[in-house]
Amino acid sequence: MKEQLTVLKNEALAAIAEVSALQALEDLRVRFLGKKGEVTAVLKQMGGLSPEERPAIGQLANELSEKLTEAIAARRAELEALFLDVRLGAEKLDVTIPGTAREVGKQHVLKKTLDEAMEIFIGMGFTIAEGPEVELSANNFDKLNAPEAHPSRDWGDTFYFDQDSQYLLRTQTSPVQVRVMESQKPPIRVVSPGRVYRKDEVDATHSPMFHQIEGLVVDKGITMADLKGTLNALIQQLYGAETQTRFRPHHFPFTEPSCEVDCQCFKCRGAGCAMCKGEGWIELLGAGMVHPNVLRNCGIDPDEYSGFAFGMGLDRMTMMRYNISDLRLIFENDLRFLRQF
Ligand code: PHE
């Protein structure tokens, strides 16, 4: 029995030394030391021994079982260390390898100017109102007091959808005035940015699609002084507190009186330069007191209420603000251009 234990010991130690996987090691433990294991089997035979032999063999068997337990634990520690090394090697991160940079987008320069303008208007108590780009002629022209023969209604200038010229791509943001007045009661104070369309050939200052910001204020007792104060405040916030403005008489069918508003050239401060074509002034927007016919067309009594309106070109504003010489650059979406802003 002593020899049996020695054979078992050598066999077990050799197997433990050779094993290279944790599961195989666990299998060995079960095979030798488990309840039905080989060492246990030897111990079970001890009943057949003489009382003299029993203590010595018992001790030997216990020693063997301890030795194997130790050997297994040691091998387990060895294997675990080895696997950790292998894993660390495989997962090693070389932080010096150049990474792949992610492109971060940014706001389009038009949207930047728009946001700045909206911020100013919201600060003055305006809310934003939007209207559709496909409009009724009635809203784009008739209710805005543009007579049947008005040149802007010409097929050569406007994109119509039907023979009867009922539906069109709006030529201005002014039809939003109509929509707002028909759906809200005064006091009204809205701005309305959006795309507009005209049959223009593309060049450095024209595009068949461009952007306007419309403004409308209707309340009791609104006068031209309110119009001037509001627009001066806007322009001074956009272009600096010292910026001079000029209100020139003009004509729009839907305002009376009407004016165009210029600001002193913010590049040469009025001296005359390439930007203002030597004028010292830059045309910024159209404006006027809402025509009584327009108020009436939209269900508002002109004897009780008055209002002012203005419309400005967002694309032009952007070009002037960022010194952009060609309108096409804004719409071509060449990233080399857009990244600059
Ligand atoms: N809608 C006019 C245009 O496109 C601008 C404007 C708006 C003028 C509001 C006066 C009042 O030219």
Side-chain angles (χ1 to χ4, degrees), residues 172 174 177 198 212 214 252 254-255 286-288 309-311:
Q172 51 188 356
S174 302
Q177 288 186 33
R198 290 179 199 175
Q212 287 186 333
E214 189 83 12
F252 297 105
F254 38 88
T255 47
F310 54 89

